[in-house]
Amino acid sequence: MTRPNAAAGPEDLIKIYRTSTLIKQTDEAIRGLLRRGRLQANYYSPRGQEIVAAAMAATLQPDDYVVTIYRGLHDHLAKGVPLKALMAEYFGKVDGSCKGKGGCMHITHPEAGVMVTTGIVGSGMPIANGLALASQERKDGRVTVTNFGDGATNIGSFHESMNLASLWKLPVVFLCQNNLFAEHTATELCTAGNIVDRAKGYAMPGILVDGNDPEAMYAAARQAVDRARDGEGPTLIEARTFRFEGHNYGDPSSYIPKEMMAEAKANDPVPKLRALLIERGIATEDEVAKIDADAAAEIAEAVTFAQESPYPDVAENLSDVYATVLENA
Amino acid sequence: MTRPNAAAGPEDLIKIYRTSTLIKQTDEAIRGLLRRGRLQANYYSPRGQEIVAAAMAATLQPDDYVVTIYRGLHDHLAKGVPLKALMAEYFGKVDGSCKGKGGCMHITHPEAGVMVTTGIVGSGMPIANGLALASQERKDGRVTVTNFGDGATNIGSFHESMNLASLWKLPVVFLCQNNLFAEHTATELCTAGNIVDRAKGYAMPGILVDGNDPEAMYAAARQAVDRARDGEGPTLIEARTFRFEGHNYGDPSSYIPKEMMAEAKANDPVPKLRALLIERGIATEDEVAKIDADAAAEIAEAVTFAQESPYPDVAENLSDVYATVLENA
Amino acid sequence: MAEITCSQATQQALDEAMAADPTVLVFGEDVADPEGGGIMGSTAGLSTKYGSRVRSTPISEQAIAGAAVGAAIAGMRPVAEIMLMNFITVAMDMIVNHAAKTRFMSGGKTAVPLTIRTMSGAGIGAGGQHSDMYEAWLAHVPGLKVVVPSNAADQKALLKSCIFDDDPCIFVETTYIQFVKGEVPDDYEAPLGKAKVSREGTDVTIVGYGRPILDALAVAEKLAAEGISVEVVDLRTVMPWDQETVFKSVAKTKRAVTLHEAVVQFGVGAEISSRIHEELFDTLKAPVQRVGSMNTVVPYSAPLEQNFMWSQDKIEAAIRRTLERK
Amino acid sequence: MAEITCSQATQQALDEAMAADPTVLVFGEDVADPEGGGIMGSTAGLSTKYGSRVRSTPISEQAIAGAAVGAAIAGMRPVAEIMLMNFITVAMDMIVNHAAKTRFMSGGKTAVPLTIRTMSGAGIGAGGQHSDMYEAWLAHVPGLKVVVPSNAADQKALLKSCIFDDDPCIFVETTYIQFVKGEVPDDYEAPLGKAKVSREGTDVTIVGYGRPILDALAVAEKLAAEGISVEVVDLRTVMPWDQETVFKSVAKTKRAVTLHEAVVQFGVGAEISSRIHEELFDTLKAPVQRVGSMNTVVPYSAPLEQNFMWSQDKIEAAIRRTLERK
Ligand SMILES: Cc1ncc(C[n+]2csc(CCOP(=O)(O)OP(=O)(O)O)c2C)c(N)n1
Ligand SMILES: Cc1ncc(C[n+]2csc(CCOP(=O)(O)OP(=O)(O)O)c2C)c(N)n1
Ligand SMILES: [Mg+2]
Ligand SMILES: [Mg+2]
């Protein structure tokens, strides 16, 4: 069932672009810092997947919940995690989202609805169900979006979560960001059948969409989010996309066919959306240039902030383990 | 693809009946022993599911592998575990299949191809893949059948196993014995969608069959086994059946609608097959009566054997933990 | 005062907690009334009374534990049931990598006030996959609290303490004692992290928890006739355990025996024994002895299972070993 | 003799085992050559050489561990890789309820000669879900063997010992030392269950395993200058551990410190400490000290992580504590 108002309007597209360029530039900044040795971090670049996150977030309310994975920068920024808090967390500083204790793989920022970022493949989904269960019981109208990769669709927690969400009609959206590889393994080598088809086995609607197409992605997201919010239950979205920078920072990506990479980069979704905005007259070159420049300025400020923020005191190792510090531990 | 020779012949039907009546009578004997306090055991009766196991086994070679669950008596007997060894294991005696150390939930009898009986829901499937992987690498032509309940289709290991088996084209048959309940929970309350449909999500053929119909069950099993043996990969069979005695011995089954139970019992598959054999002239009343009597005699002998067998020496607690007894453990 | 079983104690604790706080949710396999209110009846009546706050789940322990983690992060107080302790092996990721660590990894931004109820214990012929006690694993995971009651009153009071605690708690009910009755005073409370001196004594301290406490008390009674005075400390909470009470007791008796159902090797008793030696090296008259089950798989055959388990004889022998030295 | 890294040691052990025995299989995420031969290169070249005996798998740790269990029961010697130790939390059922127990529960009819290779360890900024050492859990499960090498030679020799052992072995490679090089003599062998005295000494014994052995040796070297003579016992096998060697050493030095990466509480050190106290109560001059990581979640921030970890300072302090008493 396609719902009315599922199409992205001009404002939505501008918003998606603003988010996307912020993600793209932040990613470039982080990789620059890593390259120059100014930052040490296990970093999983979302470069190439910006539109998926930006379009999804454009359909969400500020208090909706998001769960994501180590490759989560795009999801974090799209949902509104403040750049300074994010950047400081990457640096392990006390002003980070999690006081530097969680780190870049575990960004949590409830004020922005980012509730969990997990480093264990597939684990976000069962937890997302729990967030959605709370919403269902409280009738708070929130939707929970859980992001995961193509590789994660082969782990048990995916299966258990899809089934439970469907049975209980939980207000959750399962967003599979299919970037065609799980670490170094191509999707078809580790996934029998098509991901989107798995939804049927749980009597759940499945939507296959080009995640790099902002309008298609927005429409798919919108449909799933509205369905969840209306109490009709979960949806699986398989958003096809690509990651330009390999699995983690430093990955030479030798397992990715050269032509595949070249083609993907030729279709870089962020400049493509930029061009589309201008072409359609939704924004002028000056306007998008300003968006780009604003992002750059914000990032520069956040990097400085993060670098200048102090490290947490080592006493932090004993706090937040339990609600109160244990005596003899 | 339906294969030639997939139909059960008269000999097959007689074999299926012989196995079924042995299972049915053994189950009755065990419940009698439990009722009279002559045996203490956590017992999960397969009464009502005899045909599924008997028909499946009729399609297998002696050295094919079987993996099953705590509710496994029917699978064990069908595959040829000697009744004495089985019964002695129930009694925890040294002449049991596993010297009394595993018990009724963990029957292992490699001589009959019964490799694993597990008490952890869903856990047989990943292990079955491993057995099949060994066969594939050794090219020994064996097929592995893994049995599990409807409830087990909602646990992660089911999903991971189905996917891996399909990817690697393992010679394994996933036999879901759908008896409509998982403990006290009706299948539709815990399983979104239809079990058989889940196969499609793994690009695996799925067969829905009336497991209580010996000919239909034989044909389904035959198709799956042949496919596996021919190197074409796994099949999921959803065999609909019913358990007459609730989840475990002593379960009053108050969660099962009375009419449902009455109808199932009215269609008791074992007497039905008996009648069919006579009706079709495959066997005479005398012949089936002799089959029944032979089973009864064998059971009586096995019970006596088991009761007379000694308990294992307590020193057995230290052996078989490791290949050699550890010094300081 | 009426006596109730341990299962009933759980049922009452859940009922009272749900009545007191609408954020308390209960879910697990077969826990709702149409499914019988739990295989032990520990959740009987709750779904009828509290509707969708009580839900039977599919056999999906990761989904169960995960739903508890998520609901807790969102501010609820879920009580999830993992039917038997051996089944936490399929939910360990949720418990260990998520429930335990979320508060710390979020820098205190999200808490996980969940309770996971589970059951286990040998002695009922359930064999190798339905009888294990793995509390030592969980105690080794910073961020978790682990509770193992030994009687109905504590089972009720401690379960409520877990539910209203702001940290993730693993609550282990011992299969064997679930039908044992005990008095539960109305106003009885049991805070987490506090041991109970179940019997006072002067010659040797038994430090344990769960079902074997009953055996410790029986042995203490028996030895009293011989003039051996045994103090029994029921830890109740395994992590964080009440070091103060234990050290105080052992400082007095100068001898100690640790006691639990789990196998001895690498068990909870090792931590307790080590700490006692570290703290009271000069005081101890004899090395701390450890009693638990044998280092083997839980056997099915009845005589083997009895031989495998801790026992009153083994407790008594351990006590006598500590008394050999003057 | 050329020096090789620990990762290369693994690669050589696998290659030699596969060449020697056609029943040896290798599988895990990304282990085949098209996928890079393992994230550390530890399986590089094997799939090219051995074809389908080496397979990259989906991200399905239960399926991976389960396939190993099944293949082992069927008579193969699978070596399965669970990329990081935190991920065994999703495969614990297969390891604990099945691999460990199958031999016993089958009355010896089926054996499970599998090896599970995994990797972990703090100190590389990987944070709360990629750094934990949970070997204490596995040592607490009767039926499993647990091995943690500290150098390339042992990594190679012990891995081969695991592969050709008839019991299920968990082989833990420490992330941090995988690129550390060491000499590996051609004929070097290391049997399971045998410790190595890495340095002889007379005043105090350090009993440990894995990466911290390097720190122990450094501290021993430092203290030697002060005239303090430290014996370093590298257990190598955590379960079953070499009690004979440990007791012999401590009987000589009369003082002991246990050492591992894992958090101290309820860790392997507790078992070792308890056993030493039990056996050598009258010999010990001071209580056994335990060194390990802090009882908290592995923190991300670099200074916090350093503070969390065991360290040479902490080892030295522990040694000095044992020496305070004469
Ligand atoms: C349970 C578990 N197994 C293995 C890993 C190691 N690992 C980290 S990321 C990854 C690949 C995940 O691929 P995918 O789900 O497609 O997400 P992507 O990285 O492509 O965004 C793997 C195998 C893990 N983190 N958790
Ligand atoms: C992982 C796990 N969770 C829960 C249980 C408890 N349990 C034992 S049998 C069972 C029901 C299984 O139902 P189904 O798969 O349909 O098989 P059936 O008993 O009907 O043959 C449950 C929940 C278990 N043994 N293992
Ligand atoms: Mg991917
Ligand atoms: Mg069933």
Side-chain angles (χ1 to χ4, degrees), chain D residues 138-221:
Chain D
L138 302 162
H140 188 48
V141 178
L144 296 180
K145 291 179 178 170
V146 184
V147 176
V148 190
S150 69
N151 58 71
D154 279 329
Q155 189 156 318
K156 178 171 176 182
L158 288 166
L159 180 52
K160 285 204 279 185
S161 293
C162 287
I163 296 172
F164 293 110
D165 192 76
D166 286 334
D167 291 312
C169 297
I170 313 294
F171 190 79
V172 187
E173 301 171 359
T174 309
T175 315
Y176 199 88
I177 62 169
Q178 290 314 298
F179 296 112
V180 173
K181 287 191 170 183
E183 290 192 350
V184 182
D186 274 346
D187 54 351
Y188 183 74
E189 289 188 4
L192 300 185
K194 293 280 166 240
K196 184 167 76 180
V197 178
S198 299
R199 180 186 174 110
E200 297 200 0
T202 53
D203 295 333
V204 55
T205 302
I206 300 185
V207 184
Y209 51 89
R211 179 184 166 198
I213 289 295
L214 305 183
D215 300 301
L217 291 171
V219 171
E221 186 65 29

Side-chain angles (χ1 to χ4, degrees), chain A residues 128-306:
Chain A
N129 278 346
L131 295 165
L133 170 63
S135 291
Q136 190 179 61
E137 281 299 322
R138 284 194 299 236
K139 301 189 178 53
D140 66 12
R142 280 186 173 115
V143 168
T144 299
V145 178
T146 180
N147 295 280
F148 51 95
D150 43 290
T153 64
N154 298 316
I155 200 160
S157 54
F158 165 82
H159 177 70
E160 296 189 9
S161 307
M162 293 279 288
N163 184 53
L164 191 75
S166 180
L167 282 171
W168 289 1
K169 285 187 181 292
L170 295 175
V172 55
V173 177
F174 291 85
L175 176 49
C176 176
Q177 302 192 16
N178 181 355
N179 57 18
L180 313 188
F181 288 89
E183 288 205 346
H184 307 169
T185 304
T187 306
E188 65 271 19
L189 289 179
C190 56
T191 311
N194 297 311
I195 293 169
V196 69
D197 290 345
R198 294 186 175 175
K200 296 195 194 96
Y202 313 102
M204 191 192 293
I207 304 175
L208 177 64
V209 64
D210 176 355
N212 289 359
D213 174 338
E215 292 172 294
M217 183 62 214
Y218 180 94
R222 190 65 202 245
Q223 203 177 322
V225 169
D226 287 354
R227 197 179 120 82
R229 204 171 322 270
D230 291 351
E232 292 172 32
T235 302
L236 171 67
I237 300 176
E238 178 186 347
R240 292 275 171 87
T241 181
F242 200 74
R243 53 167 164 71
F244 293 177
E245 299 296 329
H247 178 58
N248 52 353
Y249 182 76
D251 173 3
S253 302
S254 45
Y255 53 89
I256 303 182
K258 283 216 174 55
E259 320 71 58
M260 194 179 196
M261 181 64 94
E263 202 199 310
K265 288 194 172 168
N267 286 294
D268 190 336
V270 184
K272 220 168 157 179
L273 174 54
R274 193 182 197 281
L276 181 144
L277 292 180
I278 295 169
E279 199 182 287
R280 293 229 198 126
I282 295 172
T284 62
E285 167 66 40
D286 282 358
E287 282 163 350
V288 288
K290 176 154 186 341
I291 294 176
D292 294 345
D294 287 352
E298 193 189 344
I299 292 163
E301 202 185 335
V303 170
T304 306
F305 172 84

Side-chain angles (χ1 to χ4, degrees), chain D residues 5-14 26 31 37-43 79-86 88 115-122 124 130-135 138 146-152 154-160 162-163 169-179 209-212 236 261:
Chain D
T5 65
C6 284
S7 288
Q8 287 168 329
T10 286
Q11 197 278 344
Q12 290 185 6
L14 293 172
V26 169
V31 301
I39 54 163
M40 308 293 285
S42 309
T43 51
V79 187
E81 177 176 321
I82 304 284
M83 197 178 281
L84 292 180
M85 198 163 200
N86 283 85
I88 66 162
T115 300
I116 290 181
R117 286 179 47 239
T118 190
M119 189 168 74
S120 200
I124 57 160
H130 285 67
S131 313
D132 288 292
M133 295 291 289
Y134 293 133
E135 70 278 6
L138 302 162
V146 184
V147 176
V148 190
S150 69
N151 58 71
D154 279 329
Q155 189 156 318
K156 178 171 176 182
L158 288 166
L159 180 52
K160 285 204 279 185
C162 287
I163 296 172
C169 297
I170 313 294
F171 190 79
V172 187
E173 301 171 359
T174 309
T175 315
Y176 199 88
I177 62 169
Q178 290 314 298
F179 296 112
Y209 51 89
R211 179 184 166 198
R236 307 194 290 190
E261 295 201 34

Side-chain angles (χ1 to χ4, degrees), chain B residues 154-169:
Chain B
N154 300 316
I155 200 160
S157 54
F158 166 81
H159 177 70
E160 296 189 10
S161 306
M162 293 279 288
N163 184 54
L164 191 76
S166 180
L167 282 171
W168 289 0
K169 285 188 181 292

Side-chain angles (χ1 to χ4, degrees), chain B residues 39-42 44 89-93 99-106 117-121 123 151-152 154-156 160 182-186 189-191 254-255 311-322 326 328-329, chain C residues 28-40 56-63 81 83-87 89-90 124-131 265 294-309 314:
Chain B
L39 171 65
Q40 265 82 42
N42 296 316
Y44 305 86
E89 191 65 27
Y90 273 63
F91 278 86
K93 299 297 187 66
K99 301 193 232 165
K101 296 164 86 165
C104 51
M105 263 199 266
H106 304 297
T117 301
T118 179
I120 310 291
V121 168
S123 293
N154 300 316
I155 200 160
E160 296 189 10
E183 288 206 345
H184 307 169
T185 304
L189 288 179
C190 57
T191 311
S254 46
Y255 53 90
Y311 282 108
D313 189 283
V314 293
E316 281 292 342
N317 267 342
L318 289 176
S319 69
D320 302 323
V321 189
Y322 295 92
L326 292 189
N328 292 299
Chain C
E29 291 155 20
D30 290 341
V31 300
D33 288 330
E35 289 76 54
I39 54 164
M40 307 295 284
S56 287
T57 64
I59 308 172
S60 308
E61 280 80 5
Q62 292 193 69
E81 179 176 320
M83 195 178 282
L84 292 180
M85 197 161 202
N86 283 85
F87 314 154
T89 51
V90 291
I124 57 161
Q129 293 181 337
H130 285 66
S131 313
Q265 283 81 355
M294 226 166 155
N295 207 31
T296 188
V297 179
V298 184
Y300 171 76
S301 186
L304 297 195
E305 190 180 25
Q306 287 306 315
N307 173 259
F308 155 82
M309 288 163 66
K314 290 177 195 170

